[in-house]
Structure formats: structure tokens, C-alpha cells
Amino acid sequence: MSYDKHSKEHELLEKIEELIQEGTDTYRQGNSLEIPAWDVSIQVEINQLSDNGAVINYYLDSPQWDRQVFECCAGAGQDQQMAIGMAQGSFVFGMLDGIRAMAQEAPLSEMETEFADSRHEWEVYQSNLVGMGDMPQDTDAENIWELLQDEIQKRIGGQKLCYVKAYCAKNGDEIIGECRINDMPIPELGKIMSDYARSWKTKGFGSQKQFFFLLQKEETHIPYPYTEEDIAEAVHMAISLYHKCINDESDTRYLELLQEELEDSDLVEELRNFLPEMCAQHAFPAIQCGEKIGICCGDVQTDVYKTQLASYYFIYKALVKELYDDFPNELFSALVSTSSMYNAVSGAKKKGADLEKGGKLFISYGFSNNYQLR
């Protein structure tokens, strides 16, 4: 179906202005909707649009946060406007409602965590519970938080903001459960959501979606020195230098050159360790690696969740973008061949086993004694 994408996205921003209500002042700047009272800006991108369906991406930024917040909403209806309305309503009454609660400083609760030998205090905000179809009669807005809070608490590090999306649906015997932290799927939490939906005594289709925002208090927050864009540039630099060095077999100065460019030994160690394993995970997608990894500094190993590390998923997202942007085959193979996963797969095959058939690995990384978790 033909349509003016820019004009349609402009209309979507206008509609969000109308739906925000409560007299909140807003204005549009370029392709962004600015909400000064919340110190938040929103960008809208049409992902897909048809006669009776819509998939819309929403990007939210604030100088108070250390990351961009992302949400993808789908809608379906008898016509295009109804489909767009469903998607917009899902965003405004779901994620944006949680952003509103955070801006208005109306927390659900508070929590305290420890990471990297530091204490972190958090305010927890929740959105409306957006439900559709046939749902349990005893549905409560705090049900999902009560189910997830202990597991979420284990998985947050020192970030300024963590946002959690929880979703589940039931249609007869068909069950869907998903939970994302900072837009990365967390299978163990997804199972909790599946089990929750499975317990519903309902017959028809029903779904629930809710967001939680964990905002760290200024008193305990230790700012991470890099933005996601900074890490993306560092990943590009690391890959380019690695490619240069493997093309010149006499040049073994990869880490030295990377250190000169980045001037951050902790980030250099993370790139050295994580990039090969992430490439290997793309090479062997059937092998599960789990959410936890081991950080070995000398004889001391600390097990952490990937979501706790400030850089891990920034590096992952940047690498994925690089992989889809004409990534040289010889570079990909060289990185995979230096990974622990490749060694494990090769070793298993020599013994007649095949880890690609339901294999699961726990990966430990070797770091220097000077490395600092953050």
C-alpha cells in the first residue's frame, strides 16, 4: 500500500499529543515530540503499515537516562486507522503511562541491590496493565511485579535506568510468555510469564502487557563513561584494527593499538573477550549460553548476569549491526576461531559429541587482576 511515510509519522506524533491529555505541554521539533515537563522526547517510526495492520516503533530519550528506551507496538483492525489506533493505544496506555509515573515521581516501591562492590538504591515505577480479550477476573495491576521482582533484582547492575517489558498471552493450549530487560529477551523470566498465563482459568484469547522502570537514585549512581554510540564506535574501531592485523600476519599489536585508540584498559579487555564469543554465538545459534557468564580475574571468578554489565549489550547491538553491514567472511571466521565456544564445539566433535544438538555452555572469560566490573 502506498503512503507518505513522513506525513503519516507526523500524524502519529499529533495523535500522541492528543492522547497524553492532562494539559501536559508538548511541542514538536523536527521528527520528535518534546514533553518538557517530563524532560522526554519521542520519535515514531512506521515499521509496517497495511490496510488492516500496523507495526510502529517508538524511541524515547531523556538526559536523565543513560540509554534510549524502545518499544514496538502492533495493531490490527477492520481498517488502517483502527490498526494504528490499537498500536498507539498500546504504547500510550502501556509504556508511556510508566514514563509518566516516573516523570511525576510516583514510584510503586523502592529496592536496594549490590553490584561491583557497590550498593545501589532504586525507585521502581510501573505502567498500567494493558490487557486484551479473556483475562482472569482477579487480575491486579501488581501481579506481574510480584512474580518478577526477585529475579529482576538479581539482573540489574549499576545503570541509571533499567526498563522491563513483560508480556504473556493465552489462547486455549497455546501459551506465549516474554520478558525483556532493556529490550533484550530474558528466557528465564519469559518462562515465569508463560507459567503465569498457563494458570489462567480462561477459554478465549487473552493477553497482558506491562512495563517497569527502575531508576537509580543519584546518591548511589556511578555514571558509566560511555554512551551506546560511544561503544558502537569502539566496536567498529576494534573490528577494523583486528581486520588490519589479521591481514598482516607480522602485526601482532592488535591490543596495543586498541589501547592507544581507546585509552581504557577495561573496555579493551571487554572487547577482546566478548567480540569473539558473540560472533561464535551467531555461528552456532543452536547452542545455548545462558544469561550468566564468569569473569575470572586471576584465581577469583565472579559470576554475573550479562544485563548487569554496562557494556555487554551495547557491544552486542553494535556487533549485530556490523555483521549485517558487509562483514568480511575471513574476519568473522578469525574471530570465531579464537572463541571458547569454538574450542568447546571442536573438542566435543573430536570426542564424537555434537553441542549443536541441544548443547548448553557456561562461558568464563579471563581478565587481568586490574579489571574493574562496571
Side-chain angles (χ1 to χ4, degrees), residues 98-111:
I99 298 291
R100 184 203 307 271
M102 189 160 48
Q104 295 176 347
E105 299 183 355
L108 167 69
S109 64
E110 296 187 353
M111 69 164 51

Side-chain angles (χ1 to χ4, degrees), residues 115-149:
F115 175 70
D117 298 323
S118 296
R119 182 176 57 87
H120 304 278
E121 295 181 359
W122 307 81
E123 291 178 331
V124 180
Y125 300 87
Q126 70 174 356
S127 74
N128 285 319
L129 178 65
V130 178
M132 295 181 62
D134 192 5
M135 293 190 302
Q137 293 183 352
D138 60 350
T139 291
D140 187 281
E142 295 182 17
N143 282 355
I144 294 177
W145 176 247
E146 290 172 358
L147 287 171
L148 297 176
Q149 60 178 325

Side-chain angles (χ1 to χ4, degrees), residues 62-233:
S62 172
Q64 305 174 66
W65 310 335
D66 57 356
R67 68 189 64 248
Q68 185 178 71
V69 171
F70 170 77
E71 166 65 335
C72 178
C73 291
Q78 294 178 349
D79 55 36
Q80 186 180 95
Q81 284 304 112
M82 183 178 292
I84 290 174
M86 291 289 289
Q88 289 273 70
S90 179
F91 169 69
V92 171
F93 300 113
M95 172 176 275
L96 197 62
D97 180 71
I99 298 291
R100 184 203 307 271
M102 189 160 48
Q104 295 176 347
E105 299 183 355
L108 167 69
S109 64
E110 296 187 353
M111 69 164 51
E112 185 175 308
T113 62
E114 287 190 12
F115 175 70
D117 298 323
S118 296
R119 182 176 57 87
H120 304 278
E121 295 181 359
W122 307 81
E123 291 178 331
V124 180
Y125 300 87
Q126 70 174 356
S127 74
N128 285 319
L129 178 65
V130 178
M132 295 181 62
D134 192 5
M135 293 190 302
Q137 293 183 352
D138 60 350
T139 291
D140 187 281
E142 295 182 17
N143 282 355
I144 294 177
W145 176 247
E146 290 172 358
L147 287 171
L148 297 176
Q149 60 178 325
D150 290 343
E151 293 300 320
I152 291 172
Q153 188 169 351
K154 298 175 186 177
R155 289 167 168 80
I156 52 178
Q159 304 94 329
K160 178 61 178 174
L161 174 71
C162 284
Y163 67 102
V164 180
K165 176 182 180 178
Y167 173 82
C168 63
K170 181 181 180 183
N171 188 14
D173 293 331
E174 184 179 352
I175 306 293
I176 297 174
E178 180 185 43
C179 186
R180 291 173 171 262
I181 296 180
N182 296 333
D183 198 41
M184 298 308 299
I186 310 299
E188 291 182 17
L189 273 62
K191 184 179 184 305
I192 292 175
M193 293 303 297
S194 296
D195 292 342
Y196 167 58
R198 189 171 288 107
S199 71
W200 296 355
K201 307 301 181 184
T202 56
K203 296 181 180 179
F205 171 82
S207 69
Q208 291 184 356
K209 180 171 69 172
Q210 194 167 22
F211 294 86
F212 305 98
F213 298 87
L214 286 71
L215 187 65
Q216 188 173 174
K217 296 182 180 180
E218 292 293 341
E219 297 80 16
T220 63
H221 179 233
I222 303 171
Y224 184 62
Y226 306 112
T227 65
E228 185 168 357
E229 290 74 19
D230 293 334
I231 295 298
E233 290 180 8

Side-chain angles (χ1 to χ4, degrees), residues 262-331:
L262 300 181
E263 298 182 342
D264 186 324
S265 58
D266 292 334
L267 181 56
V268 168
E269 288 198 61
E270 289 168 351
L271 292 167
R272 171 180 63 83
N273 276 294
F274 297 153
L275 286 173
E277 297 301 333
M278 290 173 179
C279 285
Q281 288 170 35
H282 277 265
F284 307 107
I287 300 177
Q288 299 179 36
C289 293
E291 298 177 51
K292 274 189 172 182
I293 58 175
I295 303 293
C296 300
C297 300
D299 296 330
V300 179
Q301 175 169 313
T302 304
D303 294 346
V304 299
Y305 287 96
K306 296 170 184 175
T307 48
Q308 291 181 288
L309 298 175
S311 70
Y312 188 90
Y313 280 115
F314 284 170
I315 293 172
Y316 177 80
K317 288 180 181 179
L319 175 64
V320 170
K321 188 175 184 302
E322 295 277 350
L323 290 176
Y324 285 100
D325 189 22
D326 197 26
F327 202 87
N329 289 334
E330 71 275 10
L331 175 58

Side-chain angles (χ1 to χ4, degrees), residues 347-359:
K349 285 184 177 179
K350 288 179 181 178
K351 297 177 181 178
D354 189 352
L355 291 180
E356 293 185 75
K357 294 181 178 179

